[in-house]
Coordinates of all heavy atoms in Angstrom, one line a residue:
M1 N 26.0 -16.5 -6.0 CA 26.7 -15.6 -5.2 C 27.9 -16.4 -4.6 O 27.7 -17.5 -4.1 CB 26.1 -15.0 -4.2 CG 24.9 -14.0 -4.7 SD 24.0 -13.2 -3.3 CE 23.4 -11.9 -4.0
E2 N 29.0 -15.9 -4.6 CA 30.2 -16.5 -3.8 C 30.4 -15.8 -2.4 O 30.4 -14.6 -2.4 CB 31.5 -16.3 -4.7 CG 32.5 -17.1 -4.1 CD 33.8 -16.8 -5.0 OE1 33.8 -16.4 -6.1 OE2 35.0 -16.8 -4.4
I3 N 30.5 -16.6 -1.4 CA 30.9 -16.2 -0.1 C 32.3 -15.9 0.0 O 33.2 -16.7 -0.3 CB 30.5 -17.4 0.9 CG1 29.1 -17.9 0.8 CG2 30.8 -16.9 2.4 CD1 27.9 -16.8 1.1
K4 N 32.5 -14.6 0.3 CA 33.8 -14.0 0.2 C 34.4 -13.8 1.8 O 35.5 -13.9 2.0 CB 33.9 -12.7 -0.4 CG 33.5 -12.8 -1.9 CD 33.4 -11.4 -2.5 CE 32.9 -11.5 -3.8 NZ 32.6 -10.3 -4.5
N5 N 33.4 -13.5 2.7 CA 33.7 -13.3 4.1 C 32.9 -14.1 5.0 O 31.7 -14.5 4.5 CB 33.7 -11.9 4.4 CG 34.5 -10.9 3.5 OD1 35.8 -11.1 3.5 ND2 33.9 -10.1 2.8
T6 N 33.3 -14.3 6.2 CA 32.4 -14.9 7.1 C 31.5 -13.7 7.7 O 31.9 -12.5 8.0 CB 33.3 -15.4 8.5 OG1 34.1 -16.5 7.9 CG2 32.3 -16.0 9.4
A7 N 30.2 -14.0 7.8 CA 29.2 -13.0 8.2 C 28.2 -13.7 9.1 O 28.0 -14.8 9.1 CB 28.6 -12.4 7.1
M8 N 27.5 -12.8 9.9 CA 26.6 -13.2 10.8 C 25.3 -12.4 10.8 O 25.4 -11.1 10.5 CB 27.1 -13.2 12.2 CG 26.3 -13.8 13.4 SD 27.1 -13.8 14.9 CE 25.7 -13.9 16.0
A9 N 24.1 -13.0 11.2 CA 22.9 -12.2 11.4 C 22.1 -12.9 12.4 O 22.1 -14.2 12.5 CB 22.2 -12.2 9.9
G10 N 21.3 -12.1 13.1 CA 20.3 -12.7 14.1 C 21.0 -12.6 15.4 O 22.1 -12.1 15.8
T11 N 20.2 -13.0 16.4 CA 20.6 -13.0 17.8 C 20.3 -14.4 18.4 O 19.7 -15.3 17.9 CB 19.7 -11.9 18.6 OG1 18.4 -12.3 18.7 CG2 19.9 -10.6 17.8
L12 N 20.5 -14.4 19.7 CA 20.2 -15.7 20.5 C 19.0 -15.4 21.4 O 18.7 -16.1 22.4 CB 21.4 -16.0 21.4 CG 22.7 -16.5 20.6 CD1 23.9 -16.8 21.5 CD2 22.4 -17.7 19.6
E13 N 18.3 -14.4 21.0 CA 17.0 -14.1 21.7 C 15.9 -15.1 21.4 O 16.0 -15.7 20.4 CB 16.5 -12.6 21.5 CG 17.5 -11.6 21.8 CD 17.7 -11.5 23.3 OE1 16.7 -11.6 24.1 OE2 18.8 -11.2 23.7
S14 N 14.9 -15.2 22.3 CA 13.8 -16.2 21.9 C 13.2 -15.7 20.8 O 13.0 -14.7 20.4 CB 12.8 -16.1 23.2 OG 11.8 -16.9 23.0
S15 N 12.7 -16.8 20.0 CA 12.0 -16.6 18.7 C 12.9 -16.0 17.6 O 12.4 -15.5 16.6 CB 10.7 -15.7 18.8 OG 9.8 -16.2 19.7
D16 N 14.2 -16.1 17.7 CA 15.2 -15.6 16.6 C 16.0 -16.8 16.4 O 16.0 -17.8 16.9 CB 15.9 -14.5 17.1 CG 16.5 -13.6 16.1 OD1 16.4 -14.0 14.9 OD2 17.1 -12.5 16.3
I17 N 16.9 -16.6 15.4 CA 17.9 -17.5 15.0 C 19.2 -16.8 14.7 O 19.2 -15.7 14.1 CB 17.5 -18.5 13.8 CG1 18.4 -19.5 13.5 CG2 17.1 -17.5 12.6 CD1 18.0 -20.6 12.5
S18 N 20.3 -17.3 15.1 CA 21.6 -16.8 14.8 C 22.3 -17.6 13.6 O 22.3 -18.8 13.7 CB 22.6 -16.8 15.9 OG 23.9 -16.4 15.6
I19 N 22.5 -16.8 12.6 CA 23.1 -17.6 11.4 C 24.5 -17.0 11.1 O 24.7 -15.8 11.0 CB 22.3 -17.2 10.1 CG1 20.8 -17.8 10.3 CG2 22.9 -17.8 8.8 CD1 20.7 -19.2 10.1
T20 N 25.5 -17.9 11.0 CA 26.8 -17.6 10.7 C 27.0 -18.3 9.3 O 26.8 -19.5 9.2 CB 27.8 -18.0 11.6 OG1 27.5 -17.4 12.9 CG2 29.3 -17.6 11.3
I21 N 27.6 -17.6 8.3 CA 27.8 -18.2 7.0 C 29.4 -18.0 6.6 O 29.7 -16.8 6.9 CB 26.9 -17.7 5.9 CG1 27.1 -18.5 4.7 CG2 27.1 -16.2 5.8 CD1 25.8 -18.3 3.7
E22 N 30.0 -18.9 6.2 CA 31.3 -18.7 5.7 C 31.6 -19.6 4.5 O 30.8 -20.5 4.1 CB 32.4 -19.2 6.8 CG 32.1 -20.6 7.5 CD 32.9 -20.7 8.8 OE1 34.1 -20.8 8.6 OE2 32.3 -20.8 9.8
A23 N 32.7 -19.4 3.7 CA 33.1 -20.1 2.6 C 33.3 -21.6 2.8 O 33.7 -22.0 3.9 CB 34.3 -19.4 2.0
N24 N 33.0 -22.4 1.8 CA 33.1 -23.7 1.9 C 33.3 -24.3 0.4 O 32.6 -23.8 -0.5 CB 31.8 -24.4 2.5 CG 32.0 -26.0 2.7 OD1 33.0 -26.5 3.0 ND2 30.7 -26.4 2.7
D25 N 34.2 -25.3 0.4 CA 34.4 -25.9 -1.0 C 33.7 -27.0 -1.4 O 33.7 -27.7 -2.3 CB 35.9 -26.2 -1.2 CG 36.7 -24.9 -1.2 OD1 36.3 -23.9 -1.7 OD2 38.0 -24.9 -0.8
N26 N 32.8 -27.5 -0.3 CA 32.2 -28.8 -0.4 C 30.6 -28.7 -0.5 O 29.9 -29.5 0.2 CB 32.5 -29.7 0.8 CG 34.1 -30.0 0.9 OD1 34.6 -30.2 -0.2 ND2 34.6 -29.9 2.0
G27 N 30.1 -27.7 -1.2 CA 28.7 -27.6 -1.3 C 28.0 -26.9 -0.1 O 28.8 -26.1 0.5
I28 N 26.8 -27.2 0.2 CA 26.1 -26.5 1.3 C 26.2 -27.5 2.6 O 25.9 -28.7 2.4 CB 24.6 -26.3 1.0 CG1 24.5 -25.3 -0.2 CG2 23.9 -25.7 2.2 CD1 25.0 -23.9 0.0
E29 N 26.7 -27.0 3.7 CA 26.8 -27.8 4.8 C 26.1 -27.0 5.9 O 26.4 -25.7 6.1 CB 28.2 -28.1 5.4 CG 28.9 -29.0 4.4 CD 30.3 -29.3 4.9 OE1 30.5 -29.6 6.1 OE2 31.3 -29.1 4.0
I30 N 25.2 -27.6 6.7 CA 24.4 -26.9 7.7 C 24.6 -27.5 9.1 O 24.3 -28.7 9.2 CB 22.9 -26.9 7.4 CG1 22.7 -26.1 6.1 CG2 22.1 -26.2 8.5 CD1 21.2 -26.2 5.5
N31 N 25.2 -26.8 10.1 CA 25.2 -27.3 11.4 C 24.1 -26.5 12.2 O 24.2 -25.3 12.3 CB 26.7 -26.8 12.0 CG 27.7 -27.6 11.3 OD1 27.6 -28.8 10.8 ND2 28.9 -26.9 11.1
L32 N 23.2 -27.2 12.7 CA 22.1 -26.8 13.4 C 22.0 -27.1 14.8 O 22.2 -28.3 15.2 CB 20.8 -27.3 12.7 CG 19.5 -26.9 13.4 CD1 19.3 -25.3 13.3 CD2 18.2 -27.5 12.7
K33 N 21.9 -26.2 15.7 CA 21.6 -26.4 17.0 C 20.3 -25.8 17.4 O 20.0 -24.6 17.0 CB 22.7 -25.7 17.9 CG 22.5 -25.9 19.4 CD 23.5 -25.2 20.2 CE 23.3 -25.4 21.7 NZ 24.3 -24.5 22.4
S34 N 19.3 -26.6 17.9 CA 18.0 -26.0 18.1 C 17.3 -26.9 19.3 O 17.4 -28.0 19.3 CB 17.1 -26.0 17.0 OG 15.7 -25.7 17.2
S35 N 16.6 -26.2 20.2 CA 15.8 -26.8 21.1 C 14.6 -27.6 20.6 O 14.1 -28.4 21.3 CB 15.5 -25.9 22.2 OG 14.6 -24.8 21.6
V36 N 14.2 -27.3 19.4 CA 13.2 -27.9 18.7 C 13.6 -28.7 17.5 O 12.7 -28.8 16.6 CB 12.0 -26.9 18.3 CG1 11.5 -26.2 19.6 CG2 12.5 -25.8 17.5
E37 N 14.7 -29.1 17.5 CA 15.4 -29.8 16.3 C 14.6 -31.1 16.0 O 14.3 -31.4 14.9 CB 16.9 -30.2 16.5 CG 17.4 -30.7 15.2 CD 18.9 -30.8 15.3 OE1 19.6 -30.3 16.3 OE2 19.5 -31.3 14.3
K38 N 14.2 -31.8 17.0 CA 13.4 -33.0 16.8 C 12.1 -32.9 16.1 O 11.8 -33.6 15.1 CB 13.3 -33.8 18.1 CG 14.4 -34.5 18.7 CD 14.2 -35.3 19.9 CE 15.4 -35.9 20.4 NZ 15.2 -36.6 21.6
Q39 N 11.4 -31.8 16.4 CA 10.1 -31.4 15.7 C 10.3 -30.7 14.5 O 9.6 -31.0 13.5 CB 9.3 -30.7 16.7 CG 8.8 -31.3 18.1 CD 9.8 -30.9 19.1 OE1 11.0 -30.6 19.0 NE2 9.3 -30.9 20.4
F40 N 11.2 -29.7 14.4 CA 11.2 -28.8 13.3 C 12.6 -28.7 12.5 O 12.8 -27.9 11.7 CB 10.9 -27.3 13.8 CG 9.5 -27.3 14.4 CD1 9.4 -27.1 15.7 CD2 8.4 -27.5 13.6 CE1 8.2 -27.1 16.3 CE2 7.2 -27.4 14.1 CZ 7.0 -27.2 15.5
G41 N 13.7 -29.6 12.9 CA 14.9 -29.5 12.4 C 14.9 -29.7 10.8 O 15.7 -28.9 10.1
K42 N 14.1 -30.7 10.2 CA 14.0 -30.8 8.8 C 13.5 -29.5 8.2 O 14.1 -29.1 7.1 CB 13.1 -32.0 8.4 CG 13.8 -33.3 8.7 CD 12.9 -34.4 8.3 CE 13.5 -35.8 8.7 NZ 12.5 -36.9 8.3
Q43 N 12.6 -28.9 8.7 CA 12.0 -27.7 8.1 C 12.9 -26.5 8.3 O 13.1 -25.7 7.4 CB 10.7 -27.3 8.8 CG 10.0 -26.0 8.3 CD 9.6 -26.0 6.9 OE1 9.5 -27.1 6.3 NE2 9.3 -24.9 6.3
I44 N 13.6 -26.3 9.3 CA 14.6 -25.3 9.5 C 15.7 -25.4 8.5 O 16.0 -24.5 7.6 CB 15.3 -25.4 10.8 CG1 14.1 -24.9 11.9 CG2 16.4 -24.3 10.9 CD1 14.6 -25.2 13.3
R45 N 16.2 -26.7 8.2 CA 17.2 -27.0 7.3 C 16.6 -26.6 5.8 O 17.4 -26.1 4.9 CB 17.7 -28.4 7.3 CG 18.7 -28.7 8.4 CD 19.1 -30.1 8.4 NE 20.2 -30.3 9.4 CZ 20.0 -30.6 10.7 NH1 18.7 -30.6 11.1 NH2 21.0 -30.7 11.5
R46 N 15.4 -27.1 5.6 CA 14.8 -26.8 4.3 C 14.7 -25.2 4.0 O 15.0 -24.9 2.8 CB 13.4 -27.5 4.1 CG 12.8 -27.4 2.9 CD 11.4 -28.1 2.7 NE 11.0 -28.5 4.0 CZ 10.7 -29.8 4.3 NH1 11.0 -30.7 3.3 NH2 10.4 -30.3 5.4
V47 N 14.3 -24.5 4.8 CA 14.3 -23.0 4.6 C 15.7 -22.4 4.4 O 15.8 -21.7 3.5 CB 13.6 -22.4 5.9 CG1 13.6 -20.9 5.7 CG2 12.1 -22.9 6.0
I48 N 16.6 -22.9 5.1 CA 17.8 -22.4 5.0 C 18.5 -22.8 3.5 O 19.0 -21.9 2.8 CB 18.9 -22.9 6.0 CG1 18.5 -22.3 7.3 CG2 20.4 -22.7 5.6 CD1 19.3 -23.0 8.6
E49 N 18.4 -24.1 3.1 CA 18.7 -24.5 1.8 C 18.0 -23.8 0.7 O 18.7 -23.4 -0.2 CB 18.4 -26.0 1.7 CG 19.5 -26.8 2.6 CD 19.3 -28.3 2.5 OE1 18.3 -28.8 1.9 OE2 20.0 -29.1 3.3
E50 N 16.7 -23.7 0.8 CA 16.0 -23.0 -0.3 C 16.3 -21.5 -0.4 O 16.3 -21.0 -1.5 CB 14.4 -23.2 0.0 CG 13.9 -24.5 -0.2 CD 12.3 -24.7 0.2 OE1 11.8 -23.7 0.7 OE2 11.8 -25.7 0.1
T51 N 16.5 -21.0 0.7 CA 16.9 -19.5 0.6 C 18.3 -19.4 0.0 O 18.5 -18.5 -0.9 CB 16.9 -18.9 2.0 OG1 15.6 -19.0 2.7 CG2 17.3 -17.4 2.0
L52 N 19.3 -20.2 0.4 CA 20.6 -20.2 -0.3 C 20.4 -20.5 -1.8 O 21.1 -19.8 -2.6 CB 21.5 -21.3 0.4 CG 21.9 -21.0 1.7 CD1 22.6 -22.1 2.4 CD2 22.7 -19.7 1.8
K53 N 19.6 -21.4 -2.2 CA 19.3 -21.7 -3.6 C 18.8 -20.5 -4.4 O 19.3 -20.1 -5.4 CB 18.4 -22.9 -3.7 CG 18.2 -23.4 -5.1 CD 17.3 -24.6 -5.2 CE 17.0 -25.0 -6.6 NZ 16.2 -26.1 -6.7
E54 N 17.8 -19.8 -3.6 CA 17.2 -18.7 -4.3 C 18.1 -17.5 -4.6 O 18.1 -16.8 -5.5 CB 16.1 -18.0 -3.4 CG 14.8 -18.9 -3.4 CD 13.8 -18.4 -2.3 OE1 14.1 -17.4 -1.7 OE2 12.8 -19.1 -2.1
L55 N 19.2 -17.5 -3.7 CA 20.3 -16.5 -3.8 C 21.5 -16.9 -4.6 O 22.3 -16.2 -4.9 CB 20.8 -16.1 -2.4 CG 19.7 -15.4 -1.5 CD1 20.3 -15.3 -0.1 CD2 19.4 -14.0 -2.1
G56 N 21.4 -18.1 -5.1 CA 22.4 -18.6 -6.0 C 23.7 -19.0 -5.3 O 24.8 -19.1 -5.9
V57 N 23.6 -19.3 -4.0 CA 24.8 -19.7 -3.2 C 24.8 -21.3 -3.4 O 23.9 -22.1 -3.0 CB 24.6 -19.4 -1.7 CG1 25.8 -19.9 -0.8 CG2 24.5 -17.9 -1.6
K58 N 26.1 -21.8 -3.9 CA 26.2 -23.3 -4.0 C 27.2 -23.8 -3.0 O 27.2 -25.0 -2.9 CB 26.8 -23.4 -5.5 CG 25.7 -23.0 -6.6 CD 26.3 -23.3 -8.0 CE 25.4 -23.0 -9.1 NZ 24.3 -22.3 -9.0
N59 N 28.0 -22.9 -2.4 CA 28.9 -23.5 -1.5 C 29.0 -22.5 -0.3 O 29.3 -21.3 -0.3 CB 30.5 -23.4 -2.1 CG 30.6 -24.4 -3.2 OD1 30.5 -25.5 -3.0 ND2 30.9 -23.9 -4.3
A60 N 28.7 -23.2 0.9 CA 28.6 -22.4 2.2 C 28.6 -23.3 3.3 O 28.1 -24.3 3.2 CB 27.5 -21.3 2.1
L61 N 29.3 -22.9 4.4 CA 29.1 -23.5 5.6 C 28.3 -22.6 6.4 O 28.6 -21.5 6.7 CB 30.4 -23.8 6.3 CG 30.5 -24.4 7.7 CD1 29.8 -25.7 7.8 CD2 31.9 -24.4 8.2
V62 N 27.1 -23.2 7.0 CA 26.1 -22.4 7.7 C 26.1 -22.9 9.1 O 25.8 -24.2 9.2 CB 24.7 -22.4 7.0 CG1 23.8 -21.7 7.9 CG2 24.7 -21.8 5.6
T63 N 26.4 -22.2 10.1 CA 26.0 -22.4 11.4 C 24.8 -21.8 12.0 O 24.7 -20.6 11.9 CB 27.2 -22.2 12.3 OG1 28.4 -22.9 11.8 CG2 27.0 -22.6 13.7
A64 N 23.7 -22.6 12.3 CA 22.5 -22.0 12.9 C 22.2 -22.3 14.1 O 22.3 -23.6 14.6 CB 21.3 -22.5 11.9
N65 N 21.9 -21.4 15.1 CA 21.6 -21.6 16.5 C 20.2 -21.0 16.6 O 20.0 -19.8 16.7 CB 22.6 -20.9 17.4 CG 22.5 -21.3 18.8 OD1 21.4 -21.8 19.3 ND2 23.5 -21.1 19.5
D66 N 19.2 -21.9 16.8 CA 17.8 -21.6 16.6 C 17.2 -21.5 18.0 O 17.5 -22.4 18.9 CB 17.1 -22.6 15.7 CG 15.5 -22.4 15.8 OD1 15.1 -21.3 15.5 OD2 14.7 -23.3 16.3
K67 N 16.4 -20.5 18.2 CA 15.7 -20.2 19.5 C 14.2 -20.1 19.2 O 13.5 -19.4 19.9 CB 16.2 -19.0 20.2 CG 17.6 -18.9 20.5 CD 17.9 -20.0 21.6 CE 19.5 -20.0 22.0 NZ 19.7 -21.0 23.0
G68 N 13.7 -20.9 18.2 CA 12.2 -21.0 17.9 C 11.8 -19.9 16.9 O 10.6 -19.5 17.0
A69 N 12.7 -19.7 16.0 CA 12.3 -18.7 14.9 C 11.3 -19.2 13.9 O 11.3 -20.5 13.6 CB 13.5 -18.3 14.3
L70 N 10.5 -18.3 13.4 CA 9.5 -18.8 12.4 C 10.1 -18.7 11.0 O 11.3 -18.2 10.9 CB 8.3 -17.7 12.3 CG 7.5 -17.6 13.6 CD1 6.5 -16.5 13.4 CD2 6.7 -18.9 13.8
D71 N 9.7 -19.5 10.1 CA 10.3 -19.6 8.7 C 10.7 -18.2 8.1 O 11.8 -18.1 7.6 CB 9.3 -20.3 7.8 CG 9.2 -21.8 8.2 OD1 9.9 -22.3 9.0 OD2 8.4 -22.4 7.5
C72 N 9.9 -17.1 8.3 CA 10.1 -15.9 7.7 C 11.3 -15.3 8.3 O 12.1 -14.6 7.8 CB 8.9 -15.0 7.7 SG 8.2 -14.7 9.5
V73 N 11.6 -15.4 9.6 CA 12.7 -15.0 10.4 C 13.9 -15.7 9.9 O 15.0 -15.1 9.7 CB 12.6 -15.2 11.8 CG1 13.8 -14.7 12.6 CG2 11.4 -14.3 12.3
I74 N 13.9 -17.0 9.8 CA 14.9 -17.8 9.3 C 15.5 -17.3 7.9 O 16.6 -17.1 7.7 CB 14.6 -19.4 9.3 CG1 14.4 -19.8 10.7 CG2 15.8 -20.1 8.7 CD1 13.6 -21.2 10.7
K75 N 14.6 -17.1 7.0 CA 14.8 -16.7 5.6 C 15.5 -15.3 5.7 O 16.5 -15.0 4.9 CB 13.5 -16.7 4.9 CG 13.7 -16.3 3.4 CD 12.6 -16.4 2.6 CE 12.8 -16.1 1.1 NZ 11.8 -16.4 0.2
A76 N 14.9 -14.5 6.5 CA 15.5 -13.1 6.6 C 16.9 -13.0 7.1 O 17.8 -12.4 6.6 CB 14.6 -12.1 7.4
R77 N 17.2 -13.9 8.1 CA 18.5 -14.0 8.7 C 19.5 -14.5 7.7 O 20.6 -14.2 7.5 CB 18.5 -14.8 9.9 CG 17.6 -14.2 11.1 CD 18.0 -12.8 11.4 NE 17.3 -12.3 12.6 CZ 17.2 -11.1 13.0 NH1 17.7 -10.1 12.3 NH2 16.6 -10.7 14.2
V78 N 19.1 -15.6 7.0 CA 20.0 -16.1 6.0 C 20.3 -15.2 4.8 O 21.4 -15.0 4.4 CB 19.4 -17.5 5.4 CG1 20.1 -18.0 4.1 CG2 19.2 -18.5 6.4
Q79 N 19.2 -14.5 4.3 CA 19.5 -13.4 3.4 C 20.5 -12.4 3.8 O 21.3 -12.0 3.1 CB 18.2 -12.8 2.9 CG 17.1 -13.6 2.2 CD 15.8 -13.0 2.0 OE1 15.4 -12.2 2.9 NE2 15.1 -13.4 0.9
T80 N 20.2 -11.9 5.0 CA 21.2 -10.8 5.6 C 22.6 -11.4 5.6 O 23.5 -10.6 5.3 CB 20.5 -10.3 6.9 OG1 19.4 -9.9 6.7 CG2 21.6 -9.2 7.5
A81 N 22.7 -12.5 6.2 CA 24.0 -13.1 6.3 C 24.7 -13.3 5.1 O 25.9 -13.0 4.8 CB 24.0 -14.5 7.0
V82 N 24.0 -13.7 4.0 CA 24.6 -13.9 2.6 C 25.0 -12.5 2.1 O 26.1 -12.5 1.5 CB 23.6 -14.7 1.7 CG1 24.1 -14.7 0.2 CG2 23.5 -16.2 2.1
I83 N 24.2 -11.6 2.1 CA 24.5 -10.2 1.6 C 25.7 -9.7 2.3 O 26.5 -9.1 1.6 CB 23.3 -9.4 1.7 CG1 22.1 -9.8 0.9 CG2 23.7 -7.9 1.3 CD1 22.4 -10.2 -0.5
R84 N 25.8 -9.9 3.6 CA 27.0 -9.4 4.3 C 28.2 -10.2 3.9 O 29.3 -9.7 3.9 CB 26.8 -9.5 5.8 CG 25.8 -8.5 6.3 CD 25.5 -8.8 7.8 NE 24.6 -7.8 8.3 CZ 24.1 -7.9 9.5 NH1 24.3 -8.8 10.3 NH2 23.2 -6.8 9.9
A85 N 28.1 -11.5 3.6 CA 29.3 -12.3 3.2 C 29.7 -12.2 1.8 O 30.9 -12.4 1.6 CB 28.9 -13.8 3.5
T86 N 28.9 -11.7 1.1 CA 29.2 -11.6 -0.4 C 29.5 -10.2 -0.7 O 30.3 -9.9 -1.6 CB 28.0 -12.1 -1.3 OG1 26.9 -11.3 -1.1 CG2 27.8 -13.6 -1.2
G87 N 29.0 -9.3 -0.1 CA 29.3 -7.8 -0.3 C 28.5 -7.3 -1.6 O 28.5 -6.3 -2.0
E88 N 27.5 -8.1 -1.9 CA 26.6 -7.7 -3.1 C 25.4 -7.0 -2.6 O 25.0 -7.2 -1.5 CB 26.4 -9.0 -3.9 CG 27.7 -9.6 -4.5 CD 27.2 -10.6 -5.7 OE1 26.1 -10.4 -6.2 OE2 28.0 -11.4 -5.9
K89 N 24.7 -6.3 -3.5 CA 23.5 -5.6 -3.2 C 22.4 -6.6 -3.4 O 22.5 -7.5 -4.1 CB 23.3 -4.3 -4.2 CG 24.5 -3.3 -3.9 CD 24.2 -2.0 -4.7 CE 25.3 -1.1 -4.5 NZ 25.0 0.0 -3.7
F90 N 21.4 -6.3 -2.7 CA 20.1 -7.1 -2.7 C 18.9 -6.2 -2.8 O 18.7 -5.2 -2.0 CB 20.0 -7.9 -1.4 CG 18.9 -9.0 -1.4 CD1 18.9 -10.0 -2.2 CD2 18.0 -8.7 -0.6 CE1 17.8 -11.0 -2.2 CE2 16.8 -9.7 -0.4 CZ 16.8 -10.8 -1.2
N91 N 18.0 -6.7 -3.7 CA 16.7 -5.9 -3.7 C 15.8 -6.4 -2.7 O 15.3 -7.6 -2.8 CB 16.2 -6.0 -5.0 CG 14.7 -5.2 -5.1 OD1 14.3 -4.5 -4.3 ND2 14.2 -5.3 -6.4
W92 N 15.6 -5.7 -1.6 CA 14.7 -6.1 -0.5 C 13.2 -5.9 -0.7 O 12.5 -6.2 0.0 CB 15.1 -5.3 0.8 CG 16.5 -5.7 1.2 CD1 17.6 -4.9 1.1 CD2 16.9 -6.9 1.9 NE1 18.7 -5.5 1.6 CE2 18.3 -6.8 2.2 CE3 16.4 -8.0 2.5 CZ2 19.1 -7.7 2.8 CZ3 17.1 -8.9 3.1 CH2 18.5 -8.7 3.2
G93 N 12.9 -5.5 -2.0 CA 11.6 -5.5 -2.4 C 11.0 -4.1 -2.1 O 9.8 -3.8 -2.3
G94 N 11.7 -3.2 -1.6 CA 11.3 -1.8 -1.2 C 11.6 -0.9 -2.4 O 12.0 -1.3 -3.6
A95 N 11.4 0.3 -2.2 CA 11.6 1.4 -3.1 C 13.1 1.7 -3.3 O 13.9 1.6 -2.3 CB 11.0 2.9 -2.7
N96 N 13.5 1.8 -4.5 CA 15.0 2.0 -4.8 C 15.3 3.5 -4.8 O 14.8 4.4 -5.3 CB 15.3 1.4 -6.1 CG 15.3 -0.1 -6.0 OD1 15.3 -0.6 -4.9 ND2 15.2 -0.9 -7.1

């Protein structure tokens, strides 16, 4: 998927993460701000990178502002931001 627009998903509430994604010509770049970065920064980055890879995103600048989100929340926010930024449809796993 190609990032066409800047898009955002998530909030700055406790246990959430705000993800902003925009086009980038230099592969995947992640700017992370988290109060738990020393403990969980590598895992947060890994979830973001794996989710982008699953969606076929090869070039993106991701800004993540984490407030203690679980991996499933991080993944959902990245998926939502990518879908908004690409304008493509996504099968969320529900009935069509």
Side-chain angles (χ1 to χ4, degrees):
M1 292 185 165
E2 181 183 339
I3 304 300
K4 299 174 185 172
N5 304 302
T6 300
M8 184 179 167
T11 69
L12 297 176
E13 298 294 322
S14 180
S15 300
D16 202 354
I17 187 168
S18 171
I19 297 286
T20 303
I21 190 165
E22 52 192 290
N24 185 27
D25 293 330
N26 301 318
I28 302 294
E29 294 182 47
I30 299 172
N31 296 324
L32 174 63
K33 179 181 176 186
S34 175
S35 58
V36 294
E37 186 168 359
K38 287 183 182 179
Q39 297 95 331
F40 301 109
K42 288 181 184 177
Q43 177 63 16
I44 295 167
R45 284 185 172 83
R46 184 178 3 246
V47 172
I48 293 170
E49 288 173 2
E50 287 175 358
T51 304
L52 292 172
K53 184 178 178 181
E54 289 171 7
L55 295 171
V57 176
K58 295 181 180 9
N59 294 297
L61 174 59
V62 178
T63 303
N65 192 336
D66 174 59
K67 299 294 182 181
L70 298 173
D71 289 357
C72 59
V73 174
I74 298 168
K75 184 172 184 169
R77 296 306 191 197
V78 172
Q79 288 172 333
T80 302
V82 168
I83 296 309
R84 290 176 178 170
T86 61
E88 297 196 22
K89 296 190 184 248
F90 182 73
N91 181 359
W92 295 101
N96 292 343

